[in-house]
Structure formats: structure tokens, C-alpha cells
Amino acid sequence: MPLETDVIKLARIALGNRVSRAFLKRLVEKGPEGYRSRLGYILDMLVNNSKKEHASLSCMMDYYFFKLFVGAMIKLLHLSEEEFEAGIRDPSVRRGIELILRSLLTYGVTVPQKLCAPFLIVWNFTNACNLRCRHCYQNAGPKPLPNELTFEEKLNVLNQLDEMEIPSIAFSGGEPTIHPDFIPIVKEASRRGIYTAVATNGLAFASESFTDKALKAGLNYVEVSLDSTDPKVHDEFRGVKGAWELAVKGIKNVVKHGGASTGIAMTLTKLNKDQIGDMVRLAEELGVTRVIFFNFIPTGRGKENVALDLTPEEREEALRWIYQESRRSSVQVVSTAPQLARVSWQMSQGEDVLPTHFSIPRSQTLRSLAEFIGGCGAGRIYAAIQPDGKVTPCVFMPITVGDLRKQTFKDIWENSEVMLKLRNKDLIKPPCGECPYRYVCGGCRARAYSYHGDYLAPDPGCLRGLMVSRGMKEEVLAIMER
């Protein structure tokens, strides 16, 4: 599996050339008033032509040089100029571009890429929840924790994330929508140009007035959890009768309102593993943007229901089905199981790859981004903030790596020993650590921690890893490479 693919080669060429490197370093220097960098101002100029009327001669020269640079990249990567221009209209995409550039200049090209800041923060906004789900990683209850962040502390955290130019925040919980600070914080994050998402049980969105208020505050993406296409199964799993009907009504309200993407999230267990196709078809009927199938992680209340977890054979079959649905369906179909990257690569004979969490355009050139992103993102491309300000590498990995009441997020991100180890795929223990697919997969670190108490241990849910550990190499080749 070649690592020296087009995107990586292009980045190395750009950074290896003294002229282009000097220009790129200039772009991340402090920008005009109100902008953190020259690049931020230039990207705004590309989106808003009126900005050019007031630009200095120096900024205009940077603008035209950058247009030439981007034009060359677009041609080399066989991309559409229209797609690029449409993409950068989103301020969070512009933040992402700046983050990648800063990271490349700081660390050079690495596989997977080391980042100056995460692409995404998952913020467990409160521990309070109006449901009682059997698989809840947070072990949420009816009331908030007594030591949750105050509104002023939340604003301080938001300011820190903004200063690091983090592109996106996903609010989770508990149930974030029931907290009175949710709408004000979404509004403030949106005002700063941060992409805002919410992982919700959907009940609040069953109210059209709440839906209108939340989307007007600037919410970009609403992801509603559905555990089954069967209302009875969902309600039993969630602990409240009628939860399914309200969740679906919430999805319909968001889709009808427009202005935000909508997703359905289903945690795969033995109770619903046979409903993958039905859930995708329901998503198509409801008009959502994407369906994401979550790995079951036995943490929180999930520890009490570990028997619901899929076997490696069941997970392999499920991921093959998910990949087939991704090829067939008009909605995006993805999974948090990092093995999906390996499964899609094998099933397509190297022509396609679906990395964890992301939907990448199907092209020979862009499949290299899977290695660039690098499988499980815990502590590498995202991190989690708990209701009391503690920081963990992932919402499913209860390892405290810092405290925002005592430290800055920047300090935690740059210096946490756990985070630094998670960014080094060579530290993962075999068979995951010796797998040829470790750069696109590497196994789920949260599952490794849940089952072995070691975040660098192998993921016990991978069929390939199980067969290799049993010395069944010929069987691996026969079954996995078909």
C-alpha cells in the first residue's frame, strides 16, 4: 500500500521549495486588522470581491500569488475550481485550510499528519439527560453534575478554542439541548466562524419553535440518534416510550426548516445489526444528509451491556454491508469503526477508501487523504471536553489529560503524554501495530482501552487482527482479500 501518493507528494514539493515555503510562511503571519493571518484575509477576499477594494498593494500581491498557487494545486489534484470556491464560502472550511497549512509548516508532512490543533472538539455540554440509554458512554442522569462549567467558564473555553482556530465543535452530553446555555454558546461559536454541530436524542427538535431558534443561532449540523427502525426496539433501548416518534419528528423538522445538514446516528449492537439497509432507506425517505454507524464502546453504562457488542465476524459483515450501502445510496454512509477504511479498500481492490468519520470524494488522487487523516482520530484530529472542563482524548476514552480550569487547551494539546502517544501509530501493539492498514485504520483506541485498559493495545473487534493473532495467515488472505 503506497504512502507516497499525490497529495503527500504535492505537500512535500511545496514545502521543499524555498520560494513556495517562504510564501506559505508569509501567509500564516499576522494579517490585517481583525484577521489572525494573511491567509485568512486572502480567503475572505476569494469569497467576497468587495474586500479587494480596500486591500493594500501587499495584500493584493499575496492574493494573486495565492490564486496561482491554488490553481496549480487544483489542476494537479484534478479538482474543480467551482468546488473549491464553493467550499471556502464556509468559514469553518477556511479555518481548516489555515490549520492544515500551519501544521505542515510546523511538523512537515507526516503520516498520519500531526496537527497544531484538532479539527473537531466534542464537547459534553452537560451530564443531564431526559432519556436513560443502555449504551450511554457518559452514564448521564436526570440532573447536571454539581461542578459543571459556568456560563462564563464556557465562554472562556470557547475563546481558547477560537484562538487556536479550531474549525468545528460538536455539542454532546448528556443531552445538550436541554441546558439553558446551549443556544447562547452555539450562537457565540457561530458568530466566531466555528462550525457547530449537535449530537442529540432529537426530542427537543420535535418542537418547531426550538428547531427554529437553534438553527437561527447558527447550528450547522444536527445528528439524531436512532437505535432501530423499529420504534419499540428504540424506545426500550432508550428507556422512554414514544422516544422514536419524537426523534423522527425532530429529524423532519430540521430537514423541513433547511439551512443545516441532518444526520442519523445508530450504534451497532446485536439488537440492530440486521437493520443497516433499513436504516439507510429510512434516512433516504426522511431526506437526511448522512447516516453514521457508531462502534459500540463498552464504557459508562455500556459496561453493563457488553454482551450487546458485535463479534469480530459480525463487525466485518456489518462493515462490508455499510460500504455497499455507501456505494448505492444517495446519502453519505459512514462509520466510526476505523476498520471501514480497510474493508472499503479491500472490497474496491484499492480503488476506494472510506476513512473513519469522513466521506472522501472517490478518486485515485484523493484516496491518499485516508492515510493523511489516519484512522482513529482520538487525541489526533479531535479531543473531548467534559461538563466540568476536564479534557479527554475521546468521549469514549475516560482518561483525563488536562483540566481547563487549571490549564489552557493549547498546553494540554501540545504537551499531554497520552495525546502525543496516540499520534504515533508506531507505538500501537500488534497485531494492529504491525498491520499494513494501520495508517488508514490502526484500530479503535477507545475499544482497546475499554477491553484491555491500554489505549495502545490491539482493537479486539477486528476480524483480521483476530485471525492474525491465531496464526491463521492463509485464512486471512483467503477471506480478507476477496
Side-chain angles (χ1 to χ4, degrees):
M1 189 164 31
L3 297 181
E4 282 292 319
T5 43
D6 291 352
V7 174
I8 298 172
K9 280 184 179 178
L10 182 60
R12 286 202 169 108
I13 290 169
L15 294 174
N17 181 284
R18 283 188 297 176
V19 175
S20 61
R21 184 178 177 85
F23 175 63
L24 293 174
K25 288 181 74 173
R26 175 179 168 81
L27 290 181
V28 298
E29 291 175 358
K30 187 173 176 59
E33 187 175 349
Y35 290 86
R36 290 198 183 90
S37 70
R38 290 174 178 267
L39 178 59
Y41 187 64
I42 290 167
L43 290 171
D44 269 9
M45 289 169 69
L46 286 168
V47 171
N48 186 355
N49 280 325
S50 64
K51 292 276 185 186
K52 288 187 279 189
E53 297 174 10
H54 309 287
S56 66
L57 178 61
S58 173
C59 283
M60 286 305 299
M61 289 178 66
D62 289 338
Y63 170 80
Y64 285 115
F65 274 121
F66 184 73
K67 280 202 75 172
L68 287 171
F69 180 76
V70 167
M73 281 202 309
I74 286 172
K75 286 180 181 177
L76 284 168
L77 296 176
H78 313 293
L79 298 177
S80 157
E81 190 170 333
E82 291 74 20
E83 285 178 336
F84 175 79
E85 291 179 356
I88 63 170
R89 292 188 182 281
D90 185 334
S92 65
V93 172
R94 301 200 291 274
R95 280 174 171 258
I97 292 172
E98 289 194 61
L99 172 57
I100 290 171
L101 181 55
R102 287 184 188 278
S103 300
L104 288 170
L105 289 168
T106 302
Y107 300 111
V109 180
T110 64
V111 179
Q113 184 59 46
K114 293 179 182 177
L115 298 173
C116 295
F119 278 120
L120 170 69
I121 291 294
V122 181
W123 190 343
N124 284 339
F125 207 63
T126 179
N127 213 62
C129 188
N130 47 6
L131 295 182
R132 183 75 178 171
C133 307
R134 291 169 64 183
H135 63 328
C136 180
Y137 63 79
Q138 193 69 10
N139 205 7
K143 296 180 180 180
L145 298 173
N147 61 339
E148 292 186 1
L149 296 174
T150 65
F151 182 70
E152 289 72 24
E153 287 175 322
K154 291 187 181 89
L155 287 176
N156 177 263
V157 169
L158 187 59
N159 190 58
Q160 289 187 46
L161 303 183
D162 183 24
E163 287 180 351
M164 288 185 72
E165 300 186 55
I166 290 170
S168 53
I169 298 173
F171 297 98
S172 189
E175 176 52 44
T177 61
I178 66 176
H179 198 286
D181 292 345
F182 174 67
I183 296 291
I185 293 295
V186 167
K187 190 173 183 179
E188 179 59 19
S190 180
R191 184 189 70 79
R192 292 168 180 255
I194 299 172
Y195 184 94
T196 56
V198 63
T200 173
N201 58 35
L203 271 61
F205 291 93
S207 161
E208 290 201 31
S209 63
F210 179 87
T211 301
D212 182 65
K213 189 187 301 183
L215 297 184
K216 281 182 177 175
L219 201 57
N220 300 105
Y221 175 60
V222 178
E223 186 174 274
V224 178
S225 296
L226 283 181
D227 296 304
S228 175
T229 54
D230 182 339
K232 185 179 178 181
V233 173
H234 175 86
D235 291 357
E236 287 178 355
F237 203 73
R238 294 272 158 174
V240 174
K241 192 173 182 179
W244 191 92
E245 295 290 347
L246 290 172
V248 170
K249 185 178 180 182
I251 293 169
K252 290 178 178 178
N253 280 341
V254 178
V255 171
K256 181 175 69 174
H257 191 286
S261 299
T262 316
I264 290 175
M266 183 168 89
T267 300
L268 285 173
T269 66
K270 291 185 184 296
L271 299 176
N272 58 21
K273 64 182 176 63
D274 298 323
Q275 297 181 14
I276 290 170
D278 291 339
M279 186 59 77
V280 175
R281 281 187 286 275
L282 176 61
E284 291 166 347
E285 291 171 12
L286 294 173
V288 305
T289 311
R290 75 200 291 246
V291 181
I292 180 166
F293 293 96
F294 273 78
N295 244 343
F296 175 79
I297 315 289
T299 188
R301 271 201 299 278
K303 287 182 179 179
E304 303 165 15
N305 297 282
V306 69
L308 294 175
D309 197 7
L310 304 182
T311 65
E313 292 84 356
E314 288 170 336
R315 180 169 286 99
E316 189 78 10
E317 182 181 353
L319 292 176
R320 292 176 73 86
W321 193 357
I322 288 167
Y323 176 64
Q324 289 168 347
E325 287 294 324
S326 79
R327 298 284 294 186
R328 179 200 64 78
S329 181
S330 57
V331 304
Q332 295 176 10
V333 182
V334 294
S335 174
T336 63
Q339 290 86 3
L340 180 61
R342 188 250 313 149
V343 168
S344 58
W345 193 300
Q346 290 173 330
M347 289 182 69
S348 66
Q349 297 182 323
E351 296 299 317
D352 195 9
V353 61
L354 293 183
T356 310
H357 302 295
F358 294 89
S359 179
I360 281 181
R362 293 187 172 93
S363 75
Q364 291 283 59
T365 299
L366 290 184
R367 73 180 188 190
S368 62
L369 287 177
E371 290 170 333
F372 198 65
I373 294 166
C376 176
R380 296 191 312 100
I381 61 174
Y382 68 85
I385 296 173
Q386 301 302 321
D388 60 357
K390 300 289 196 308
V391 176
T392 62
C394 168
V395 292
F396 300 104
M397 196 185 296
I399 304 173
T400 299
V401 296
D403 185 345
L404 293 175
R405 282 179 165 138
K406 301 174 182 177
Q407 303 159 272
T408 65
F409 186 84
K410 187 175 188 295
D411 177 52
I412 297 167
W413 181 258
E414 292 178 352
N415 298 302
S416 160
E417 181 182 356
V418 174
M419 301 281 224
L420 293 174
K421 286 182 176 179
L422 284 167
R423 292 166 202 165
N424 187 348
K425 292 277 187 176
D426 294 331
L427 295 179
I428 299 173
K429 297 173 183 177
C432 284
E434 294 177 352
C435 179
Y437 297 95
R438 68 185 178 278
Y439 293 111
V440 297
C441 174
C444 174
R445 299 298 92 217
R447 285 178 55 80
Y449 183 73
S450 295
Y451 276 96
H452 301 298
D454 180 0
Y455 55 86
L456 297 175
D459 180 347
C462 178
L463 179 58
R464 187 186 191 284
L466 176 66
M467 295 178 77
V468 168
S469 67
R470 290 177 177 174
M472 302 166 66
K473 293 185 179 179
E474 291 185 6
E475 289 88 342
V476 167
L477 289 173
I479 294 175
M480 311 299 291
E481 306 299 335
R482 69 183 187 268

